[in-house]
């Protein structure tokens, strides 16, 4: 079982699966079947394993969350006395608190010095508009929260009003199912902003507003898991408990010919499910989708199968001029129609019947009229499968209101329409296609996480309202089809996630809708994680990849004088480039015989900032090398200690090691030639770059435009010039070259936005030589995305003499913030400033 203490520390589905695998016992054998089994698809791919969420009691802890004291704490007004009482209690503890309206707060959040944001579900009940406004408020507050997270600490909290158990306890009534969506928003923020502490609170029934506000006030700054339920006298956490394999159904949930309505169209995952249902239960399937209803193909098209010939024929039979985009759209429509015809034929061949109807499932009147017609012609509806969904992946800071509304509406409004249209039907089952994104969160999918958490809680509500109906919300991992594109498959493969095959996923659904005593919320993941129901057992905290200390460093400007050249806001800050160097040392420490080849997913979680007279000790943690293809991957972390000795995670990532370094191939073309004019003729003007002499590596800026920036930079001197007692006589990477690349992005952001930037993440770095050429390198920076508060770029480092690729960095991300300008100009330690004044 994964306890509440683990859920917040497992960052990917792969980590979750490996954690389950590390503590699993033997999988229970399927229940013996003495009746004639229904027909199920056969597949030899990875099994799909089940688990569910169960509430468990949490012990109180004295540990607290660090939050910057100088920033404001915002609380949204819930329309009752609760929010006002909570504000009063927080003010009594010395906090500067502002009570705000969620509808209007997003207009001013970006300009406020905010250290904490608490979004409270309305006392009168949550609606779709509130969840959309909550997203917009969080988006607007993001820069302020991330600033605070990088200094004294930041907190983001949501407060839902389900039952104090997140809807997962037996026998409770749900007060506000839609408020459960707030946890999805929070879990996405936790993925995207590791420097902000995120906590979802679910509020149960209390005697009055004062009592509930006091419980929240006590919990708000308490360390613990990311989801905490509060009831009078208890704190509740959530644990992920493994479930046994479902037996083959002894009796079908529907009889042959009875009507099942399924959304999501008739292609991909929905098609596979439809065929499996037909083979197992022989129902009448009514497939609802967005594609137009089928019409006979014209004679000139029927015999054509090759893409080029179909597109040529489209052009030949067009009544007017057609642009390439219109031809492609018509071609895709033809393919969709053919795939839908194939699905209907496969359903018939499997023993069922199927109809396809084109309808916007968010349109209440249209869906109601359609289902009335279906009942009149085919009888009552006995089952619902809601599989419709769309994606619009963007980071919270980049996602638009329209994208949020489309993704959320397809899931939630579509379900609401279906439930209203079948309110009078004696449904045998309601099966909702939710996602592990709702349960665990996923970067770029705030809208999808909110929508799927709402689906989970609406399913809980329907299970309470319809005791004779099997209501289940399956939080699927990624399928091998549907919305999982080839690009997404690569992402999941990199995370160690196996895909759910169409046959195995369909089989699980067939068994799940017949499991009348099964849990409402089910998590379904493919892979080798052993599953055994050990509900209620709290395991000790464990890592999926245990790390051990490779070495520790006590940092101070006396022993590490290069730090004097990296000062912001009057304080020394450890450069990200040096973090790379030391994490690489840590990876090689326990894995001799390898060569440094790069890193993956390097994240700065909390900057290492210290005073000149207060040395700060950091630990470099490293795991064992794991072989991936021809490379070896070592998980690494840079940790330290905060107030009261609490551990702090400063940075994390994976170091890539190799026996031999391959040859690199360039991919960035020459950038447009656009001259760059330095401010006041100085590249290292303190109004733009805060870097002191040791880190002034830029020799010449060749060009700068909206598309990127290029320059010639020098390489770092021997480590002994920067560090009193270095580990080695040579660098593994080159911290001056790498930091100079980050400096170029600062100059680019000033040119583009008039504001400075700082690195926060780097996706993939590969180095093709053991060291950088002493003559320096040319750096090409290609900006791949830009937004108001950040940018993403790829970088290539080229040998100045040969033009060959020395290294490549992909997926560099920086935060752009107007307030950095002032911090950049305070680029000397107080002691150094006094010495300079004396010398003058």
């Amino acid at each position: 079982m994964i306890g509440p203490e683990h859920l917040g520390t497992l960052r990917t589905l792969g980590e979750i699966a490996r954690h389950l695998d590390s503590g699993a016992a033997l999988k229970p054998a399927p229940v013996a079947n003495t009746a004639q089994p229904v027909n199920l698809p056969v597949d030899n791919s990875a099994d799909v394993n089940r688990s569910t969420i169960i509430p468990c009691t949490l012990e109180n802890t004295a540990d607290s969350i660090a939050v910057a004291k100088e920033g404001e704490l915002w609380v949204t007004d819930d329309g009752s006395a609760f929010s006002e009482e909570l504000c009063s209690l927080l003010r009594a503890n010395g906090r500067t608190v502002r009570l705000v309206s969620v509808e209007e707060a997003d207009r001013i959040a970006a300009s406020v010095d905010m250290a904490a944001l608490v979004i409270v579900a309305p006392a009168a009940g949550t609606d779709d508009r509130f969840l959309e406004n909550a997203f917009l408020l969080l988006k607007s507050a993001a820069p302020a929260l991330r600033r605070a997270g990088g200094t004294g600490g930041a907190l983001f909290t949501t407060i839902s009003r389900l039952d104090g158990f997140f809807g997962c306890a037996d026998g409770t009534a749900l007060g506000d199912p839609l408020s459960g969506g707030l946890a999805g928003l929070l879990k996405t923020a936790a993925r995207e902003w590791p420097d902000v502490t995120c906590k979802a609170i679910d509020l149960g029934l209390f005697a009055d507003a004062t009592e509930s506000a006091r419980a929240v006030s006590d919990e708000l700054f308490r360390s613990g898991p990311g989801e905490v339920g509060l009831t009078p006298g208890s704190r509740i956490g959530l644990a992920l408990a493994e479930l046994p394999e479902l037996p083959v159904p002894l009796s079908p949930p529907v009889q042959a010919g009875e009507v099942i309505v399924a959304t999501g169209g008739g292609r991909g995952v929905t098609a596979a499910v439809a065929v499996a249902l037909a083979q197992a239960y022989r129902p009448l399937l009514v497939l609802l989708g967005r594609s137009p209803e089928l019409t006979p193909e014209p004679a000139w098209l029927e015999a054509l199968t090759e893409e080029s010939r179909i597109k040529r024929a489209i052009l030949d039979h067009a009544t007017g001029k057609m642009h390439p985009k219109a031809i492609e759209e018509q071609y895709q429509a033809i393919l969709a129609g053919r795939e839908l015809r194939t699905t209907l034929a496969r359903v018939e061949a499997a023993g069922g019947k199927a109809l396809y109807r084109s309808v916007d499932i968010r349109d209440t009147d249209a869906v109601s009229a359609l289902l009335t017609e279906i009942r009149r012609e085919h009888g009552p509806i006995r089952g619902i499968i809601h599989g419709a969904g769309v994606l619009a992946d963007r980071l919270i800071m980049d996602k638009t209101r329209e994208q949020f509304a489309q993704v959320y509406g397809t899931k939630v409004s579509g379900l609401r329409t279906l439930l209203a249209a079948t309110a009078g039907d004696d449904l045998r089952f309601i099966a909702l296609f939710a996602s592990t994104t709702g349960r665990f969160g996923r970067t770029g999918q705030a809208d999808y996480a909110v929508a799927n958490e709402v689906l989970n809680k609406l399913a809980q509500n329907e299970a309470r309202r319809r005791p004779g109906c099997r209501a289940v919300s399956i939080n699927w991992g990624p399928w091998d089809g549907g919305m999982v594109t080839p690009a997404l498959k690569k992402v999941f493969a990199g995370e160690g996630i196996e895909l759910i095959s169409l046959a195995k996923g369909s089989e699980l659904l067939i068994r799940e809708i017949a499991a009348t005593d099964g849990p409402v919320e089910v998590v379904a993941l493919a892979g080798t994680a052993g599953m055994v129901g050990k509900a209620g057992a709290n395991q000790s905290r464990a890592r999926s990849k245990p790390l051990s200390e490779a070495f520790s460093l006590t940092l101070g400007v006396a022993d590490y004088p290069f730090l004097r050249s990296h000062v912001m806001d009057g304080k020394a800050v450890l450069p990200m480039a040096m973090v790379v160097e030391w994490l690489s040392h840590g990876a090689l420490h326990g894995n001799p015989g390898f060569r440094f080849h790069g890193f993956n997913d390097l994240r700065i979680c909390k900057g290492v900032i210290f005073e000149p007279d207060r040395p700060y000790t950091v630990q470099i943690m490293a795991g064992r090398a794991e072989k991936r293809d021809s490379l070896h991957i070592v998980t690494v972390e840079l940790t330290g200690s905060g107030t009261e000795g609490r551990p702090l995670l400063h940075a994390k990532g994976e170091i890539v090691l190799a026996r031999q370094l391959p040859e690199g191939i360039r991919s960035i073309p020459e950038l447009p030639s656009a001259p760059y004019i330095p401010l006041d003729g100085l590249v290292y003007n303190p109004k733009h770059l805060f870097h002191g002499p040791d880190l002034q590596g830029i020799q010449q800026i060749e060009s700068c435009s909206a598309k990127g920036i290029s320059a010639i930079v020098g390489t770092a001197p021997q480590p002994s010039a920067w560090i009193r007692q270095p580990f080695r006589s040579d660098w593994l990477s080159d911290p001056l070259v790498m930091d100079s690349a980050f400096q170029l992005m600062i100059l680019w952001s000033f040119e583009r936005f008039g504001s400075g930037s700082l690195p926060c993440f780097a996706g993939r770095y590969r180095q093709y030589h053991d060291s950088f050429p002493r003559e320096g390198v040319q750096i090409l920076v290609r900006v791949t995305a830009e937004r108001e508060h950040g940018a993403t770029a790829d970088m290539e480092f080229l040998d100045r003499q040969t033009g060959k690729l020395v290294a490549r960095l992909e997926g560099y991300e920086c935060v752009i913030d107007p307030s950095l300008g002032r911090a950049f100009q305070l680029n000397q330690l107080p002691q150094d400033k006094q010495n300079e004044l004396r010398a003058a």
Side-chain angles (χ1 to χ4, degrees), residues 787-805:
R787 48 201 179 273
E788 183 180 359
H789 299 293
T792 305
D794 295 338
M795 305 173 177
E796 288 189 346
F797 305 83
L798 310 177
D799 188 310
R800 293 177 60 183
Q801 304 300 321
T802 66
K804 289 186 176 181
L805 185 67

Side-chain angles (χ1 to χ4, degrees), residues 700-772:
Q700 176 188 350
I701 298 178
E702 299 174 312
S703 66
C704 181
S705 69
K707 294 184 177 180
I709 186 170
S710 65
I712 301 298
V713 306
T715 52
Q718 296 296 306
S720 58
W722 283 13
I723 301 171
R724 295 281 185 249
Q725 294 181 327
F727 287 112
R728 296 162 46 105
S729 58
D730 296 302
W731 302 106
L732 291 173
S733 57
D734 189 302
L736 181 58
V737 170
M738 190 173 293
D739 197 81
S740 295
F742 303 161
Q743 295 171 30
L744 291 175
M745 278 302 293
I746 296 176
L747 295 175
W748 177 88
S749 64
F750 269 114
E751 285 289 295
R752 192 80 176 130
F753 296 99
S755 300
S757 65
L758 286 177
C760 61
F761 178 77
R764 184 180 184 272
Y765 174 77
R766 293 294 183 268
Q767 190 169 306
Y768 302 102
H769 297 265
D770 287 314
S771 60
F772 279 69

Side-chain angles (χ1 to χ4, degrees), residues 17-18 24 34 39 87 98 133 229 235 306 345 378 382 409 435 440 465 600 665 680 698 705 708 756-757 815 825:
R18 288 190 289 273
T34 57
N39 295 318
C87 289
R98 187 188 300 210
N133 285 331
R235 298 174 69 232
E306 296 179 5
H378 303 285
R382 294 302 185 212
S435 167
F440 304 116
R465 291 181 60 248
N600 297 328
I665 301 175
D680 299 330
I698 300 174
S705 69
S757 65
V815 176
Q825 294 182 53

Side-chain angles (χ1 to χ4, degrees), residues 771-787:
S771 60
F772 279 69
R774 298 311 306 167
E775 298 81 10
V777 295
Q778 179 191 30
I779 299 178
L780 301 181
V781 179
R782 178 177 60 187
V783 176
T784 56
E786 62 176 65
R787 48 201 179 273

